[in-house]
Structure formats: C-alpha cells, structure tokens
Amino acid sequence: MLQPGVRTGELDEAEIRLLERELEDLCAWLDDVFARPASRENLRAMVRGLLSEVPRKNVWQLAEAAGHPNPDRLQGFLAKAAWDADDLRDRVRDYAIAALADQDAVLIADETGDLKKGAKSAGVQRQYTGTAGRVENAQVSVHLSYGSSRGRTLIDRELYLGKGWAGTTAEHQARCAEQGVPPERAAQVATKPELARRMLERALGAGVPFSYFLADEAYGQCRPLRAWLEEHRVRYVLAIPKSEVLPLPVGRTRQARELWAVVPEEAFERRSCAGGAKGPREYDWATVQLASTADGFERHLLIRRSTVPNKKEKKTGQLVREIAYFLCHTAPGATLAELITAAGQRWMVEESFQVAKGQVGLDEHEVRKDWDQNEVFAARE
C-alpha cells in the first residue's frame, strides 16, 4: 500500500498499478452497499472520473470520461438507484480512519458554500458563503474533516437548511416535499454548530480516535456546543471572538481582549504552528489559565499574535499586529506546544480541502435526493 498523505511529482508504473489495485479493492469492498451490478459499475465510473484530470467534475464530463454517450446513466445513479447513503458514508469514514489514524489526529468542523443559479435545490437560498465572500444564492454544507501527520480527508457532511427552508405554511411544506426534505428537518432550522454536534456524535459513536476538536469562531462562540463537548470530555481548541466572555479561576469573568491586554510581554513565545507555502507559520503565543470544569479538565485562553504589523486598525488607520483568540479545553498538564500544534492542524486541513475542491470536484457536485438516509453530496462521497 502506498503511504498515505500528500504526494507530489509523477508516479512510476509500479505505483500506478498499485493504486489501480487499491482503487478496485476499495470499490469491491463497497459493492454490497449497492443492490444492482449496474450501480456498482456506475460507482467505479464516478470515482475514476473524480480522480481523473477532467477539467470540470460535473456529471456531463464524468460521463464523457467514462465513455458514456450522455449523462443519463450517472444522473440516474445519483437520483434513483437504491443504495444506503449513510452506510456508504460510514464505510468511507472507516476506510479513511484505518489509513490516517495517529496520535496527533484531530477532527475539524467547517463549512463551504456552492453557488447556485436556481431556487429548486434543497437548501439553496440567499446566504453568506465564504466561497464568494459575500451573500449569494447558494447551498451551504457543514463538513467534518479528519487530519493527522499521515494525511487529511473529509469523513462526514450535513446540508444546512436556513430560514428559507424552515416553516409550517402549505407553500413551504410543498416546496420541501418536492425536494424530499423530511418534516423533522423542515420544521425548524438546525444551526451549523448543531449540525457539527450531530457529526461529532456519529464520530464518537464509531470510536474515531482523535486528540482535539477544532473549529472557527462560528462554532467556538456557541456555548451549547462547548457545553456538550465538555460534558463528553472532548478536548477542543476553538477560535472565539475578542468579545467572548470567559470564566476565571477566581470566579469573575473577563472578555478575551481584556485578558490579552494584561498578559506581560515576556509571557509570549515565538513558535511555528504549521508549515506553509512560504515556510513555517510563526506567531507569538501565550496562554491564560481559566476556570477548570467540574470534572477536572482545564480551560485555557490561547492567544496568537502576528510577528509584524499586518492589520489596519479601524479607528486610527494604523497598522497593528493581528490578535486571534482560541478557547481550549484540555486534560490537565497540556503544554503550550501541544495547543499550538492542535491549532495549526486546522489550517493544514483547510488548505487541503481547498485543493481538493478543485481536484475532485467538491464545488461541482450533483445532489442525490435521499432524505431517508440524509441529503448526500454524491461527488463528495
């Protein structure tokens, strides 16, 4: 088996033959998820197309790469073929964990948006998406990624249904029924942190090994999510806004920015959190001890400061050093180096995800309507 991780450069003939065998072994392992032989053939065509150098990974071009005269077979496979989407998701997760599990492994929740022109696709509405950097007509989904020193990949997904898809009017119910959205998902909005929690529940239930859960401010400032993580003794490093109110050991509370203001200069250490395209990502780091949890886990505020002025201050227009804040929930004795390494993993996984979006068509998916087993982004499975 080829070593997992990011490969660069050309593969030799022996490596290509080995990858071919591994790809066929993987597809054969998944065959019993699909009821019909034709579906198994279409699975292979989809996977090979997504891994190929086809410039756009939509069904038309994937069908052409497979030698089909039109996209009907692959579209029928995604829309109508009988297969259990959740079973497939879990199989792919187990395969990934077997290859990538390591002591430094982390789980990361993040979201992505896919721009859409129409209004029919489930979940599509006018909403902010980081893909465009503004409010656009788009679908947004939350993903759970798994990353370690051995490699990184996606292992779970949930489609976000915003306010445009939540309600009880007859018009709303008809719209959701047309797209196969079940009543329990259409009645009210499940927030993105709630979707992340559902995926974490599945990961914990499956025994996925990981050291920390990581996420950006959208999830870090969600107190119900943090409470759930602490209740389940999940260690985390979550980005939080500067205004986040934090508990101190003495019983008082302070905002994150207020705590940074009183950290002495000698408390900062310059360390690299991850490698980047231009070399190590170096920042100045410091921690502040916060109130521990009832079961003895520790909380820390991790502060990251850029090494040079790189952010324009709104009031004065002057360049200042950017400050970022992370709330950490750790077992007793966690070191600064450990927290920094965990925080850096999120950037590594996010960079890999952005590369994968273009390489395997994560932003050009076709959607499978199968809400009894959840909405599935078939190109992402």
Side-chain angles (χ1 to χ4, degrees):
M1 180 176 180
L2 289 176
Q3 290 297 315
V6 178
R7 295 295 303 269
T8 58
E10 295 184 357
L11 300 175
D12 60 35
E13 186 176 346
E15 289 176 320
I16 292 174
R17 286 200 297 269
L18 179 57
L19 286 174
E20 284 280 353
R21 288 197 298 271
E22 288 191 5
L23 179 58
E24 176 54 34
D25 288 345
L26 172 61
C27 291
W29 180 54
L30 298 172
D31 274 347
D32 63 323
V33 175
F34 302 91
R36 300 177 62 241
S39 295
R40 298 165 190 164
E41 294 177 8
N42 288 327
L43 168 71
R44 287 161 172 78
M46 287 286 299
V47 172
R48 289 183 180 279
L50 292 171
L51 294 175
S52 73
E53 295 185 355
V54 172
R56 292 198 64 203
K57 305 299 173 69
N58 55 36
V59 171
W60 282 88
Q61 294 200 15
L62 295 183
E64 184 178 342
H68 300 176
N70 55 55
D72 293 353
R73 283 177 57 183
L74 294 186
Q75 287 179 336
F77 170 64
L78 295 180
K80 301 175 183 178
W83 47 279
D84 188 326
D86 284 356
D87 187 10
L88 179 59
R89 174 202 63 202
D90 294 345
R91 298 280 193 98
V92 172
R93 178 199 62 210
D94 294 345
Y95 180 84
I97 299 306
L100 303 180
D102 210 341
Q103 290 183 344
D104 65 345
V106 294
L107 287 173
I108 305 99
D110 198 9
E111 62 198 63
T112 188
D114 301 306
L115 304 184
K116 297 289 182 181
K117 293 182 179 179
K120 293 289 187 180
S121 298
V124 70
Q125 61 183 353
R126 295 280 298 175
Q127 57 190 318
Y128 177 83
T129 168
T131 303
R134 59 185 181 274
V135 174
E136 286 282 359
N137 199 57
Q139 286 177 317
V140 171
S141 54
V142 180
H143 295 91
L144 192 67
S145 301
Y146 189 81
S148 74
S149 55
R150 306 182 69 192
R152 296 162 287 277
T153 191
L154 303 177
I155 63 169
D156 207 342
R157 77 291 174 264
E158 284 281 353
L159 181 67
Y160 173 68
L161 297 174
K163 294 180 179 179
W165 290 83
T168 56
T169 65
E171 181 182 357
H172 168 265
Q173 291 174 349
R175 182 189 186 198
C176 290
E178 181 184 3
Q179 296 304 318
V181 179
E184 63 270 19
R185 282 298 306 269
Q188 60 183 5
V189 174
T191 66
K192 295 167 188 174
E194 168 62 18
L195 297 178
R197 185 192 63 78
R198 294 179 187 181
M199 292 187 288
L200 280 166
E201 280 187 329
R202 290 197 285 264
L204 291 176
V208 173
F210 66 101
S211 59
Y212 283 94
F213 170 65
L214 316 174
D216 63 22
E217 288 185 11
Y219 306 87
Q221 64 185 340
C222 179
R223 295 187 179 184
L225 176 60
R226 297 200 316 242
W228 183 89
L229 292 167
E230 292 174 6
E231 178 185 348
H232 289 78
R233 299 173 67 86
V234 174
R235 296 185 293 174
Y236 62 69
V237 177
L238 302 175
I240 56 173
K242 61 184 179 182
S243 59
E244 189 70 22
V245 177
L246 304 171
L248 299 177
V250 294
R252 299 196 304 270
T253 59
R254 300 284 294 275
Q255 289 186 350
R257 59 185 164 193
E258 294 174 327
L259 294 174
W260 163 73
V262 297
V263 174
E265 183 61 34
E266 59 269 21
F268 282 93
E269 296 184 27
R270 183 159 299 182
R271 290 176 176 266
S272 171
C273 62
K278 299 181 180 179
R281 285 193 173 98
E282 287 193 334
Y283 295 93
D284 293 333
W285 302 85
T287 58
V288 177
Q289 184 76 39
L290 301 174
S292 298
T293 62
D295 60 2
F297 267 52
E298 296 178 349
R299 296 191 190 100
H300 303 269
L301 173 63
L302 177 65
I303 303 170
R304 188 195 75 199
R305 185 180 68 186
S306 60
T307 59
V308 297
N310 62 342
K311 181 179 180 180
K312 184 175 289 187
E313 196 174 52
K314 291 182 179 180
K315 292 183 178 180
T316 65
Q318 294 180 334
L319 282 177
V320 296
R321 292 204 250 181
E322 184 179 25
I323 308 294
Y325 304 91
F326 304 86
L327 180 58
C328 308
H329 176 244
T330 74
T335 64
L336 175 63
E338 178 182 332
L339 300 179
I340 293 171
T341 299
Q345 283 270 43
R346 185 162 65 89
W347 288 295
M348 299 291 286
V349 171
E350 287 177 355
E351 281 190 352
S352 297
F353 178 66
Q354 291 304 318
V355 172
K357 284 187 72 172
Q359 289 182 340
V360 294
L362 299 186
D363 51 356
E364 297 167 330
H365 63 266
E366 295 285 332
V367 178
R368 172 178 168 83
K369 288 196 300 184
D370 193 359
W371 274 93
D372 287 340
Q373 293 98 22
N374 292 327
E375 178 85 5
V376 173
F377 288 82
R380 293 175 183 176
E381 299 284 13

